[in-house]
Amino acid sequence: MAGDKAVQRNLETAWPADLPAADERELLSAGRALLRADATGLGRARWPAVFPDTGQAVAPAFATAGFRIQAAIARRDGSPNKAVVHLVWAGTDRGGTFTDLRIADWHFTRTAKKGAATWTPLPRT
């Protein structure tokens, strides 16, 4: 955990901020929650378009206790209405192997919901 601050600084240096602070906060919150849901299986129902119900039980790949987001940034992804959240994370898999500096990206598009703009995650392809 001691190196997490350095990883965060490196991300911020490599990709300077280009989103309004409120958008970045919203995207980071959603990106962190999506990664946690993807890795641990917890909270997937919040995003049915990203994690469709297959009718089968989901065996999480990573334990919640061993899961940690080390660093995260949100940046534009080619246009003002598209963004990507870059996350660096650590986790202990079901076999007990701990690995850090894992990388995940979540892509978002800005949509209008009830007249208000919001960021919607895109399903992985």
Side-chain angles (χ1 to χ4, degrees):
M1 290 198 305
D4 291 358
K5 287 182 183 181
V7 175
Q8 182 68 41
R9 274 193 311 274
N10 287 341
L11 273 179
E12 291 170 354
T13 299
W15 289 291
D18 61 0
L19 287 166
D23 285 341
E24 188 169 8
R25 280 190 304 275
E26 179 183 346
L27 286 159
L28 286 172
S29 177
R32 287 180 176 116
L34 280 161
L35 177 58
R36 181 172 302 282
D38 189 35
T40 68
L42 299 175
R44 288 183 175 201
R46 181 175 168 193
W47 296 284
V50 177
F51 304 111
D53 184 4
T54 62
Q56 297 178 354
V58 174
F62 292 87
T64 56
F67 176 84
R68 181 176 94 251
I69 295 174
Q70 298 177 274
I73 59 170
R75 300 296 186 254
R76 283 193 177 137
D77 190 20
S79 83
N81 291 321
K82 292 183 180 178
V84 61
V85 177
H86 301 284
L87 300 117
V88 180
W89 61 285
T92 303
D93 66 24
R94 288 183 291 183
T97 302
F98 176 83
T99 308
D100 64 347
L101 300 176
R102 293 174 175 271
I103 297 171
D105 288 334
W106 288 98
H107 295 267
F108 293 79
T109 187
R110 189 187 320 254
T111 58
K113 247 186 195 176
K114 298 181 183 177
T118 187
W119 291 99
T120 303
L122 299 173
R124 290 193 167 163
T125 56

